[in-house]
């Protein structure tokens, strides 16, 4: 059996491109702390610590602040799902860009031949620029929200920048799964861990609704009516998610 590899703060900082000061700060705030001590008392990072470091850096590159990163990790981020969702997003982006390129190339050819592109071709370009057919939770939301509400969500998402995909398609469903795990474990809705998850769910709702209570209520209603699709879990039993909705409502009343 081989012993687990460990890293002192200096070598880990060099390998990750961070500074020792940054790692010390993350240790101080509890975001990333070395888990092992040597017989002489020196603290060392373990392989699991390095996994957490990867997650911290991945979430930071999405534009998330340190406090949000800590909340995400405490809620239980699945590394496999995180990487998988990024791959899905990249594949979707590539497909969208390929379609846009083909349509632009057609229009370019028409203009080069001194012909006026037909209206249908221009409309197809506009659709490709809008990212029609984007995967994720939007198709499920579209079944329950009107066009104005979808446009409002898109506008708020655009304002969030590259973090929007993570919030909507990864963190939000992950928070609901974490809340369901707590419910099944018999957690107290007024307990600190449940309250932390509920607050983060509602923070995300406020981000995407822009503080519009009607829009936020519509999204929550979509989740209640179509929990499997909105949660990102196609096999989610509706009764189970209705129980979770009641559990979350209890938690919100406990936080009042």
């Amino acid at each position: 059996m081989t012993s687990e590899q460990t890293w002192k703060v200096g070598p880990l900082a060099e390998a990750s491109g961070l500074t020792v000061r940054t790692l010390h700060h993350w240790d101080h705030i509890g975001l990333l702390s070395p888990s092992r001590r040597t017989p002489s008392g020196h603290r060392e990072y373990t392989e699991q610590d390095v996994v957490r470091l990867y997650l911290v850096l991945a979430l930071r590159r999405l534009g998330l602040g340190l406090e949000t990163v800590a909340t995400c990790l405490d809620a239980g981020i699945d590394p496999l799902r995180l990487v998988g969702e990024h791959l899905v997003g990249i594949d979707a982006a590539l497909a969208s860009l390929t379609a846009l390129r083909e349509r632009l190339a057609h229009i370019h050819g028409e203009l080069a031949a001194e012909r006026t592109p037909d209206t249908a071709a221009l409309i197809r370009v506009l659709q490709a620029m809008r990212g029609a057919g984007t995967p994720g939770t939007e198709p499920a939301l579209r079944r329950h929200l009107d066009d104005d509400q979808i446009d409002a969500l898109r506008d708020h998402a655009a304002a969030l920048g590259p973090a929007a995909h993570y919030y909507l398609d990864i963190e939000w469903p992950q928070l609901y799964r974490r809340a369901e795990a707590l419910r099944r474990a018999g957690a107290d809705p007024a307990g600190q861990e449940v309250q932390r998850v509920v607050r983060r769910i509602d923070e995300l709702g406020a981000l995407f609704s822009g503080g519009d209570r009607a829009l936020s209520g519509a999204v929550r209603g979509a989740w209640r009516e179509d929990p499997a699709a909105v949660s990102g879990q196609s096999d989610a039993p509706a009764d189970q998610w209705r129980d979770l909705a009641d559990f979350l409502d209890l938690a919100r009343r406990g936080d009042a």
Side-chain angles (χ1 to χ4, degrees):
M1 185 174 69
T2 59
S3 59
E4 182 182 31
Q5 183 176 1
T6 59
W7 292 263
K8 290 185 170 62
V9 65
L12 184 60
E14 183 178 358
S16 61
L18 299 170
T19 65
V20 170
R21 182 177 180 180
T22 294
L23 288 177
H24 280 319
H25 175 61
W26 289 359
D27 180 16
H28 177 71
I29 65 176
L31 180 63
L32 176 70
S33 298
S35 300
R36 179 169 296 179
R37 286 188 180 274
T38 66
S40 59
H42 292 98
R43 303 178 71 189
E44 293 181 330
Y45 294 88
T46 65
E47 293 174 358
Q48 285 302 309
D49 295 332
V50 175
V51 171
R52 185 175 175 92
L53 173 60
Y54 161 75
L55 294 174
V56 170
L57 292 177
L59 296 176
R60 287 287 286 160
R61 288 191 175 98
L62 287 171
L64 277 64
L66 291 180
E67 184 175 350
T68 299
V69 170
T71 300
C72 295
L73 295 179
D74 289 343
I77 294 299
D78 179 358
L80 179 62
R81 183 177 179 84
L82 176 61
V83 174
E85 291 285 357
H86 283 168
L87 285 173
V88 169
I90 288 171
D91 287 342
L94 287 173
S96 179
L97 287 172
T98 298
L100 178 58
R101 185 188 186 285
E102 290 173 353
R103 293 167 187 179
L104 286 173
H106 170 73
I107 290 177
H108 183 270
E110 293 291 287
L111 293 172
E114 299 184 348
R115 292 190 296 266
T116 301
D118 60 69
T119 304
L122 293 172
I123 292 296
R124 286 194 294 271
V125 168
L126 293 175
Q127 290 173 337
M129 290 172 64
R130 188 176 176 85
T134 301
T137 60
E138 182 176 317
L141 291 174
R142 185 169 284 282
R143 291 195 288 271
H144 303 279
L145 278 63
D146 60 33
D147 288 343
D148 288 341
Q149 290 172 321
I150 291 294
D151 286 342
L153 286 176
R154 281 177 165 171
D155 288 344
H156 294 309
L160 293 173
H165 165 69
Y166 172 79
Y167 288 144
L168 187 59
D169 293 332
I170 302 177
E171 186 187 359
W172 214 333
Q174 184 76 16
L175 286 166
Y176 278 115
R177 286 191 293 272
R178 178 60 180 159
E180 172 60 8
L182 289 168
R183 184 192 71 82
R184 284 179 170 271
D188 180 1
Q192 183 177 359
E193 189 170 7
V194 175
Q195 289 296 318
R196 183 166 58 244
V197 173
V198 170
R199 280 196 298 271
R200 184 58 185 161
I201 288 173
D202 291 344
E203 284 173 1
L204 293 181
L207 281 175
F208 282 92
S209 68
D212 184 331
R213 292 186 177 182
L215 179 56
S216 181
V219 173
R220 190 176 296 176
W223 176 73
R224 281 180 174 272
E225 295 174 29
D226 203 353
V230 178
S231 70
Q233 242 180 305
S234 60
D235 59 348
D239 289 343
Q240 166 191 312
W241 291 100
R242 275 193 285 271
D243 289 342
L244 176 57
D246 293 339
F247 178 76
L248 294 176
D249 287 342
L250 283 174
R252 290 183 178 99
R253 288 197 291 272
D255 190 41

